[in-house]
Amino acid sequence: MSNSFLGTMGYGLPAAIGAKFGNPNRDVVLFVGDGGFQMTSEELEVIAAENLNVKIFLMNNHALGMIRQWQDAFYQSHHSKSLFDRQPDFQKLASAYGIDYHQLDANHPIATEINSIFANPNAQLIEVQVAVTEQVYPMVAPGHDNNDMLGF
């Protein structure tokens, strides 16, 4: 089943690594969901071993968010394996590979936190908590073409 969201889960982290190898003097920033990140999180080893300064913003909604959104919109909210009751401790995961970890805190000025993140010359995993009900658009309904995107 294709999720028709025009992306491939798990592709982000390897793509960020490739982008950094291809452009070693440029900032590489990845925005990735917790589900897609978990599909290739072992690639943190490459980032650590090659000392690649990649900033990974982990958007953690404790779900396969786009799948959950589909289930809500088209399958009467029948959730099947799209919500995470358990997840790894992402701080410990980053630490296991020797990668810096940061969690954005809504109680701190975002500009200060972002400046600190980009001033750090090391790779970082930055966890951002996102509401499980947050919607992602555009999306394509089952049986429709990309020309019929919703929310576009």
Side-chain angles (χ1 to χ4, degrees), residues 3 12 27 29 34 40 43-44 50 59 68 74 77 83 86-87 95 104 116 118 141 147:
N3 69 10
D27 289 336
V29 180
D34 49 326
T40 54
E43 298 298 339
L44 292 175
E50 298 295 331
M59 313 309 283
R68 184 227 20 100
F74 306 116
S77 297
L83 302 173
R86 296 177 20 180
Q87 287 186 306
S95 178
L104 287 186
S116 174
F118 283 95
N147 294 336

Side-chain angles (χ1 to χ4, degrees), residues 1-148:
M1 176 179 109
S2 168
N3 69 10
S4 297
F5 285 97
L6 312 176
T8 303
M9 287 182 61
Y11 177 73
L13 195 53
I17 291 167
K20 191 62 179 179
F21 275 123
N23 298 282
N25 297 320
R26 299 194 63 184
D27 289 336
V28 173
V29 180
L30 169 64
F31 291 89
V32 63
D34 49 326
F37 176 76
Q38 290 184 71
M39 295 180 106
T40 54
S41 62
E42 70 278 1
E43 298 298 339
L44 292 175
E45 190 280 330
V46 175
I47 290 173
E50 298 295 331
N51 196 28
L52 301 176
N53 179 4
V54 176
K55 307 304 185 198
I56 305 161
F57 284 82
L58 174 65
M59 313 309 283
N60 190 351
N61 63 354
H62 302 271
L64 298 174
M66 292 186 285
I67 303 300
R68 184 227 20 100
Q69 183 174 331
W70 253 54
Q71 291 169 346
D72 287 347
F74 306 116
Y75 300 102
Q76 298 76 42
S77 297
H78 177 75
H79 297 137
S80 177
K81 305 300 181 191
S82 62
L83 302 173
F84 297 143
D85 293 329
R86 296 177 20 180
Q87 287 186 306
D89 181 323
F90 293 113
Q91 182 175 10
K92 288 180 181 176
L93 183 61
S95 178
Y97 290 102
I99 292 175
D100 294 342
Y101 172 88
H102 187 84
Q103 187 169 38
L104 287 186
D105 184 344
N107 297 319
H108 291 100
I110 190 80
T112 302
E113 290 193 74
I114 295 296
N115 288 336
S116 174
I117 288 165
F118 283 95
N120 186 328
N122 301 314
Q124 290 188 59
L125 177 64
I126 303 103
E127 188 172 359
V128 181
Q129 296 297 320
V130 177
V132 70
T133 55
E134 194 65 41
Q135 302 293 312
V136 177
Y137 291 103
M139 66 186 273
V140 179
H144 290 261
D145 295 330
N146 287 347
N147 294 336
D148 298 326

